[in-house]
Every structure is written in C-alpha cells, then in structure tokens.
Amino acid sequence: MKYIVQEGSHSIAEVIALCRPGLISAFPITPQTHIVEKLAELVSNGKIDAEFVNVESEHSAISVITGAEACGMRTFSATSSQGLALMHEVLHAVSGMRLPLVMVIANRALSAPLNIWNDHSDSMAQRDTSWLQFYAESVQEAVDLIAQAYRVAESRDVMLPGMICVDGYVLTHIYEPVLIPEQEKIDAFLPPYRPEYILDPERPMTFGAYATPNDYMEFKWEQQKAMGNAKRHIVQINTEYRELIGRGYGNGLIELYHMENARIAIVAMGSICGTLKEAIDRMEDVGLVRIRAYRPFPAEELRDALRDTETIAVIDRAFSYGYEGPVFSEVRSALYTLKERPLMCNFIVGLGGRDTRVGDIFELVKKAKESSEGEVTWFNLKV
Amino acid sequence: MLEIRFHGRGGQGSVTAAEILAIGAFRDGKYSQAFPSFGVERRGAPVQAFCRIDEKLIRLRCQIYEPDVVVVQDATLISDVDVTAGLKRDGIVLINSAKTPEEFHLDGLVKTVDATRLALESLGRPIVNTVMLGALAKLGIVSLDSIVEVVGMRFKGELGEKNIAAVKKAFEELPI
C-alpha cells in the first residue's frame, strides 16, 4: 500500500478509479469540483476504462448515471450543496428503482445567503430519499468508504444507492498522508457489478413502473427492509475491509472514543470528530460517539453506547427550522425507551463553515453540563 | 506539533508553499497536513495557508490560531493584517523583505530574507514561495533535501531547476 500526500479530492478520485466505474457523470460545483476534474483527467488519459459524460446540470448528471446503472454499469457522480438539492427528485427515483449507485457529497451549506463553506445542510435535506448515508472523519476514511459503500449498496438484499459525505474544503482540499489501497486488494474486496435485472433489449423490462395504491406501499416496505439488511452488511463489510486492507472504523455504524468511563458523551458526525478527539484527550469523563452510518440509523447501537452516561451533547451541523437539530431528534428518540435516560442537549455548530477549535469544545462541554433537558444551543452565535 | 501559518496575497503561491512544506515534512518522516483558508482567493487579496507537522497522526481540523512560525510572503501585508496574531512565545516570523529584522517592530523572533530579489535572480519573476521554503529549511522546519526533492517534483524541467536554485540561494543567504 502506498502512502501519498496529496489533496483529499485527488485521493478520493484515485480510489473511485480503483473501483472500476463504467460511467461517470457530474457537473462542477465548489467544493466537489476537484474530485470530478481528476476523474475526467484519469478517463481522458486512459487510466480508467470509463466514459465521462459532460452534462449541463446536476439533474442531468444524476439522470445519466441512473440510466447507465439501470443498464448494469457501476457508476459514479459527486456534487455539493445546491447541486445535490437540484438532484432531489431523481434521488427518490434511483432508490425506488433499487439502483445501487454511489455518490460523494462534498458537504457545503445551502444558499441563501450564498455560502461555499462546509456544513451538513445539503445531505441532511436528503435524509428521507432512501439513500444510504456515510460520514467520513478524515480523508483516509473517505477513501476507505468508497469500496465499502459500493459493496453495501450492491449487496443483493440491499440494492440501494449510497452517499459518502465528506466535509467540503476541510477534507476535500486538505493535503494529508493517505494510504491508497492496491488495485488487487480492491478487486478482491469489490467484485464486478453483476445485477440481477438490467435494461436489455433482448429481455425487455420496465424500471420504476406505475404502482397503484394497491401495490405502492409494498415497494416502499421493501426499501425499508433493504435498509435493515444494509445495517448488517455495513458491520460485516467493515470487518472484512479491516481484515483485507488493514483499516476498520468502530463497528462500521458507530465509533466509540474514550467511552469506557465517560459521564458526558458527545455525539457527532464528520471531520469535527478529529478536533473533538483532540479536545477529549485533554478532558476527564468525556467521550465521543461518532455516527459513521447515518442511514440506516444505528438506533440500538447508540442506545447501548450511551445508556450509562449522565449527559449527552449532540452536535448538529444542520438544522430543522421550526424545531431542533435532526441528529439530536433521532438520538433522543432512540434513547426514549431507556428506563433511566441521560440528560440530552443539542448544539448547532459551525453552520456555513464557522470554525470549531479545541477551546470551543471545552466551552461546549461546560455549557452541556449547565443545559436543561432538551435545550438547543446555537453555539458561538454572535448575538 | 509545529504549526506554520503563511500570509500572502492571492497569486503569490502561499497555498502551494504550504502544500510543498507538508509533503517535504512527510518525506522527513513526520505526519503533516496543509490547507488553505478557503474561499476568498482573489489575486492580490490577503490570503492565509496553514501547515501542521507532528510526530503522530494529526486529527485537528481547525485553522491555526497559535502558530509556532509565521511566514510573511509580502511585507506590505503587515500594515493591514495582524500577521503575528496568536504567535507562540519564542515563535518565529519569517518576512520577505530587504530590511533588517530590527526594522520590524513585531512579536517573536523576526527573520528577514530578500526573497523578491532572490526570486527575480533565479526565476526572473517575483514569485517568492519556493524561496521562502528554502529559508524555512534553514530554520530547521524541514530538511533542505526534502524541499529540493518536492520542488523538483512540483515544477518540471527548467522551471524546476530554477526553483531549486532559488530554494538553495535562500538557504545559503538566511542568517541563523
């Protein structure tokens, strides 16, 4: 395995190439652009045997790869922010047609006001599209998630699309050392995509056909069953990846950090977890539960990890206007069945790319100790 | 951990300098990361870039607020930008200037190198980022060999040779 220090986007593109997609289509949007630029370069230099389809919008990009995926190809796209929002209606069609394509989301805030920096508003807004969602802490994890996401998505009893959420700029534009797996290892881990059903003139069939009230709910129930299967596969595939390629992340769904005797737990997703770990090393009694797979949601695992804590601070990097942070709502609901519930509070952190320092985490923990049950704090707000 | 903050103007190669430094430090056997202060890169506007170097894996994802070393690629920034903000006690300020360190009334240990002149002599253009990297090597932040190697990889052919010459000149000229 070779260590390389290069931009996060380029490491991601290289590993996408190792997964042998047959077709890539994307429309450039900051901060996703360098990923697909690099892929376009790899395609035009003949480094990967894929077609790169230039399109005039993200809506077209996702439509193109949907068609190719339905024809039996492994495909890829990447986008950010408004680009993902523009894809929204097609996202439902992809999951409903059970096409296991994979996208990287370079997470960026939504407009207005116009902002190109990182938060999770864009992918959170796609929570209910029936896509698998993974959040990476580091470039290394983003890179390791790619083959894993294809494996989970393409599992026969899953067949759902997946988003790998990578914090824009913070991870896409950073230079840091990354281990790129060898082609043989990825080939051994990720077999060629051989779907059961494809669009083929020799064997005509329809994808995403009409479903009346008599049938529609059953199709949707199948999607939910597939999400349940995905949970099992994520755990299994994380273990397999660890054995074959040498790196694993918690149990695949969540990762625990210094939770052994933690009285206070922070729950968070994405790159902020690196800074959280640094802060936690300098504090007593504080641990981290990092959510790696947000869909399917690891409710039981969170309940087990958090049941013995006294206080839980959930960090959201997005907001559900009119209520509270979306991760908080779900964690709190997951813990509702506990006989003795810890105090749970919510911190809305770093919307639109506001930086979070180690000292901020100390302050957040202090505030969590003083918070009342269910309290929502917009952290570091200048009002 | 060593934290280095670059101050420059858009177009002066501050981000490239931070990247080359990170790759060089990795070649020296350290962990490293480099990243820009995102989003406002307009030619001529004040920009920052950051580099961390450590013996162990770097997990921090925030910008650098308390640097060990500040690199000022353009001394005209000093009147507009608080370049030494948060500088650690005994921190180093490396400035591209023909003036002596004493002429700058700044916190920390000030070092100056006339990088614009060296760049014009070596490259024929006032692009000072590789020159400043040579000076950083002299200050012991990274090895000269690694910087030379990475600059040679980044800039091909004649341009690479000229940049390497610029790095070496800065290394020779900067007084310890």
Side-chain angles (χ1 to χ4, degrees):
Chain A
M1 216 171 309
K2 64 170 179 163
Y3 245 129
I4 183 159
V5 184
Q6 63 180 0
E7 196 182 282
S9 292
H10 291 175
S11 295
I12 289 168
E14 278 187 23
V15 179
I16 294 292
L18 296 179
C19 293
R20 302 186 187 279
L23 187 137
I24 301 159
S25 183
F27 190 76
I29 180 168
T30 297
Q32 151 267 27
T33 311
H34 292 182
I35 298 171
V36 293
E37 246 175 30
K38 184 70 184 177
L39 281 166
E41 185 188 310
L42 291 170
V43 170
S44 62
N45 291 346
K47 296 276 169 62
I48 42 173
D49 184 19
E51 194 174 335
F52 193 103
V53 182
N54 284 306
V55 286
E56 81 293 351
S57 76
E58 288 86 357
H59 191 281
S60 299
I62 184 77
S63 301
V64 165
I65 65 167
T66 300
E69 188 86 22
C71 292
M73 265 184 170
R74 184 174 286 150
T75 65
F76 178 75
S77 189
T79 191
S80 297
S81 184
Q82 244 67 20
L84 182 59
L86 186 58
M87 287 182 177
H88 177 74
E89 62 152 332
V90 187
L91 299 182
H92 290 275
V94 174
S95 55
M97 291 193 286
R98 311 298 296 276
L99 298 172
L101 52 88
V102 168
M103 278 208 292
V104 166
I105 310 304
N107 284 113
R108 162 185 160 182
L110 288 165
S111 201
L114 178 64
N115 178 294
I116 58 170
W117 290 267
N118 165 243
D119 68 27
H120 293 164
S121 313
D122 51 359
S123 52
M124 275 293 157
Q126 309 305 335
R127 184 190 66 176
D128 299 338
T129 55
S130 184
W131 281 56
L132 310 165
Q133 278 201 2
F134 304 95
Y135 287 81
E137 178 188 320
S138 61
V139 179
Q140 185 69 65
E141 188 177 19
V143 154
D144 290 332
L145 268 167
I146 295 164
Q148 294 183 31
Y150 277 114
R151 265 286 300 277
V152 176
E154 293 172 4
S155 296
R156 220 14 86 83
D157 58 354
V158 177
M159 293 300 279
L160 287 173
M163 286 178 200
I164 301 166
C165 301
V166 179
D167 284 330
Y169 285 124
V170 180
L171 297 181
T172 57
H173 284 56
I174 197 166
Y175 270 61
E176 65 182 18
V178 170
L179 283 161
I180 305 282
E182 293 95 352
Q183 182 70 66
E184 310 84 74
K185 287 274 176 71
I186 293 291
D187 286 342
F189 179 79
L190 180 67
Y193 176 46
R194 302 235 188 280
E196 221 173 329
Y197 304 104
I198 59 168
L199 288 182
D200 177 1
E202 301 294 315
R203 280 194 313 159
M205 69 170 74
T206 305
F207 276 53
Y210 188 64
T212 62
N214 200 37
D215 302 313
Y216 183 84
M217 273 184 85
E218 285 66 30
F219 279 100
K220 295 292 129 180
W221 166 240
E222 288 293 332
Q223 284 174 231
Q224 170 57 10
K225 269 204 324 211
M227 274 283 177
N229 297 336
K231 225 171 134 178
R232 228 176 35 247
H233 285 291
I234 291 166
V235 173
Q236 168 62 24
I237 284 167
N238 180 56
T239 307
E240 251 184 70
Y241 194 91
R242 183 185 274 126
E243 282 161 6
L244 187 69
I245 299 181
R247 284 178 304 283
Y249 299 86
N251 70 354
L253 298 162
I254 60 171
E255 182 201 28
L256 308 184
Y257 188 75
H258 289 197
M259 281 300 294
E260 302 79 23
N261 301 305
R263 286 170 47 232
I264 301 168
I266 302 175
V267 179
M269 308 198 297
S271 66
I272 197 174
C273 294
T275 306
L276 281 165
K277 287 173 179 174
E278 287 295 326
I280 284 169
D281 283 357
R282 300 179 215 175
M283 286 186 285
E284 297 283 328
D285 299 340
V286 184
L288 169 71
V289 177
R290 180 167 75 87
I291 300 176
R292 185 170 181 262
Y294 180 62
R295 280 295 180 273
F297 190 69
E300 297 83 6
E301 291 75 10
L302 287 166
R303 202 149 50 229
D304 287 345
L306 292 163
R307 65 168 70 237
D308 295 327
T309 58
E310 290 170 18
T311 305
I312 301 169
V314 179
I315 292 180
D316 265 289
R317 307 225 33 231
F319 196 68
S320 178
Y321 294 91
Y323 194 27
E324 58 191 12
V327 180
F328 180 60
S329 294
E330 301 194 342
V331 172
R332 201 149 167 248
S333 162
L335 268 62
Y336 184 76
T337 52
L338 290 180
K339 282 218 170 60
E340 283 179 43
R341 287 190 292 275
L343 183 143
M344 288 178 264
C345 54
N346 189 200
F347 290 87
I348 310 305
V349 177
L351 298 188
R354 185 165 297 177
D355 205 10
T356 306
R357 306 165 59 174
V358 169
D360 293 326
I361 309 298
F362 298 153
E363 186 60 29
L364 186 148
V365 168
K366 201 173 133 228
K367 279 217 164 85
K369 288 180 186 167
E370 298 160 359
S371 286
S372 55
E373 170 57 34
E375 190 171 338
V376 182
T377 304
W378 282 60
F379 189 67
N380 267 351
L381 200 62
K382 292 184 285 188
V383 289
Chain B
M1 179 167 17
L2 261 183
E3 296 188 305
I4 301 111
R5 188 171 68 204
F6 290 81
H7 289 273
R9 293 187 184 278
Q12 289 182 330
S14 305
V15 178
T16 304
E19 291 166 1
I20 291 173
L21 180 59
I23 300 171
F26 185 74
R27 286 183 170 254
D28 286 344
K30 309 277 177 59
Y31 282 99
S32 59
Q33 62 173 208
F35 54 101
S37 71
F38 314 110
V40 288
E41 295 85 356
R42 299 181 309 279
R43 194 160 285 272
V47 296
Q48 293 180 32
F50 308 97
C51 180
R52 290 193 171 98
I53 301 171
D54 203 354
E55 302 295 333
K56 57 181 179 25
L57 184 75
I58 299 167
R59 299 179 298 189
L60 277 178
R61 296 291 169 195
C62 50
Q63 298 191 4
I64 292 172
Y65 299 92
E66 291 169 2
D68 300 275
V69 180
V70 167
V71 180
V72 183
Q73 305 225 77
D74 185 334
T76 65
L77 282 167
I78 292 171
S79 57
D80 302 333
V81 178
D82 184 5
V83 294
T84 58
L87 182 70
K88 287 204 185 88
R89 200 207 290 259
D90 307 325
I92 298 172
V93 188
L94 175 67
I95 306 171
N96 166 23
S97 174
K99 292 182 186 171
T100 64
E102 293 71 32
E103 290 175 76
F104 292 93
H105 302 284
L106 291 171
D107 297 338
L109 174 63
V110 178
K111 297 273 183 184
T112 57
V113 58
D114 192 358
T116 304
R117 176 178 56 79
L118 293 176
L120 285 169
E121 285 172 13
S122 306
L123 308 168
R125 289 195 302 163
I127 308 291
V128 299
N129 56 352
T130 49
V131 181
M132 298 304 273
L133 288 168
L136 282 175
K138 185 68 167 279
L139 294 170
I141 307 299
V142 63
S143 74
L144 179 65
D145 287 351
S146 290
I147 287 297
V148 166
E149 200 179 333
V150 181
V151 166
M153 280 165 22
R154 191 69 174 244
F155 304 99
K156 301 288 178 201
E158 197 190 353
L159 185 63
E161 285 164 28
K162 285 177 174 176
N163 271 288
I164 288 168
V167 168
K168 288 181 173 167
K169 264 191 188 172
F171 188 86
E172 284 158 20
E173 283 208 6
L174 187 78
I176 292 281

